[in-house]
Amino acid sequence: DSLLTSSDRNHGEPDLMSSAALSGRIRRFAQEAEASHNWLPIDYAALGAPSALLATAADLFARASLGDCTPALAQDESQLRSQMESYLTPDKRDAALHMLAARSLSLASPCTNAASATRIAKPENALTRAQQEFGKGKPGAARVILDSMQRSRVNMRPGDLSLDHTYQEAWLRAAIGDSSGAARQLDLALDALPVLSAFALRQPAASAALGRAMILRANLAAKAGDRAKASRWSAAVLALWKHADKELQNQLAPLKTLALH
């Protein structure tokens, strides 16, 4: 909070974007993402595209990262595609869309039941492929990929995996019916927070995923009748997102009752 209200900070500083993401401030997150291009896979200037494209892509990234499932998320994607038709020649549009929106479409999977991931033309990792399988109505194929990913991490600690990947995988596991597997994956990561490196939370998508992971864990616990964990993680995210934007506050309302138990 103090970082975000300080008057001697300039837009675009990495700590400001991650702090906005961590505390659920969608609009501030988007402003910082527009000012800083380090969340993009390439230098934005190399695209030769106008700033309007970056502003829309930054807003899409912020909303997708934080799980804002309101109509604004779909509107951002639609606007970005429309702007590309207006501002870019046909030979540049596919590459630009991938650079500006692919990660956001993956991060938005819990909002779209993974339909957004199916619009990624070139999936670059196993998580995206698993999301696409689920989005195409193939939960079995998604589970095969998830299990393969898990087996490949024999030399990794739960805290070594970026929180946004942990959250997305856990959500996908829960969506295919493996609620216990999702809960275990979240427990291993959330219980490892005390040893998480400071660098890990400087990544905006990972910072944004912390609140989402707490919400998912609280809901899974409530579904399983585990009042203690439901209360623990509900209270935690209510504190973390105390000053979150109203779109996220709406998600927190059901957790206020759980936090009291």
Side-chain angles (χ1 to χ4, degrees):
D1 287 341
S2 60
L3 279 173
L4 295 172
T5 57
S6 175
S7 60
D8 62 352
R9 291 279 182 155
N10 297 314
H11 283 310
E13 293 184 31
D15 285 344
L16 295 180
M17 181 160 41
S18 58
S19 295
L22 192 64
S23 55
R25 291 169 166 87
I26 300 169
R27 290 162 185 78
R28 184 62 184 274
F29 183 171
Q31 289 173 357
E32 299 301 333
E34 184 180 357
S36 172
H37 307 165
N38 62 0
W39 56 278
L40 292 170
I42 66 159
D43 180 3
Y44 183 73
L47 281 177
S51 58
L53 270 179
L54 180 60
T56 305
D59 198 68
L60 176 63
F61 180 58
R63 293 182 186 279
S65 296
L66 282 166
D68 171 21
C69 302
T70 65
L73 180 69
Q75 290 166 5
D76 274 347
E77 182 186 351
S78 177
Q79 182 175 338
L80 185 63
R81 292 177 182 274
S82 178
Q83 286 175 324
M84 286 187 177
E85 291 185 1
S86 297
Y87 299 147
L88 299 177
T89 57
D91 60 309
K92 294 182 179 179
R93 290 172 192 163
D94 288 345
L97 182 64
H98 184 79
M99 294 171 191
L100 293 176
R103 193 174 185 204
S104 297
L105 295 176
S106 174
L107 290 166
S109 287
C111 289
T112 67
N113 212 31
S116 55
T118 66
R119 297 192 287 275
I120 301 174
K122 298 178 180 180
E124 296 180 344
N125 55 53
L127 172 60
T128 304
R129 293 195 295 273
Q131 291 171 332
Q132 289 185 332
E133 293 292 351
F134 182 75
K136 294 174 184 176
K138 300 177 181 179
R143 184 163 191 163
V144 168
I145 296 173
L146 286 174
D147 290 344
S148 176
M149 291 165 62
Q150 190 65 38
R151 289 192 298 271
S152 71
R153 296 175 184 148
V154 293
N155 296 318
M156 292 178 63
R157 299 171 301 176
D160 292 336
L161 187 65
S162 177
L163 275 173
D164 53 305
H165 279 261
T166 296
Y167 166 73
Q168 293 290 339
E169 288 181 26
W171 172 83
L172 190 51
R173 281 199 177 278
I176 63 178
D178 185 10
S179 294
S180 60
R184 175 170 171 74
Q185 185 164 13
L186 288 171
D187 281 341
L188 290 172
L190 291 173
D191 289 342
L193 287 178
V195 295
L196 199 65
S197 71
F199 175 78
L201 288 180
R202 293 190 72 180
Q203 306 305 309
S207 295
L210 181 55
R212 300 179 79 182
M214 291 177 175
I215 292 173
L216 179 57
R217 187 62 189 97
N219 287 329
L220 288 172
K223 183 179 178 181
D226 187 341
R227 292 188 175 183
K229 283 196 174 179
S231 176
R232 176 188 179 189
W233 294 115
S234 293
V237 73
L238 286 169
L240 183 66
W241 281 5
K242 182 178 180 180
H243 301 297
D245 287 352
K246 62 181 181 180
E247 294 91 336
L248 302 183
Q249 289 289 347
N250 292 335
Q251 295 184 33
L252 299 179
L255 301 182
K256 294 179 180 179
T257 301
L258 294 177
L260 298 176
H261 291 288

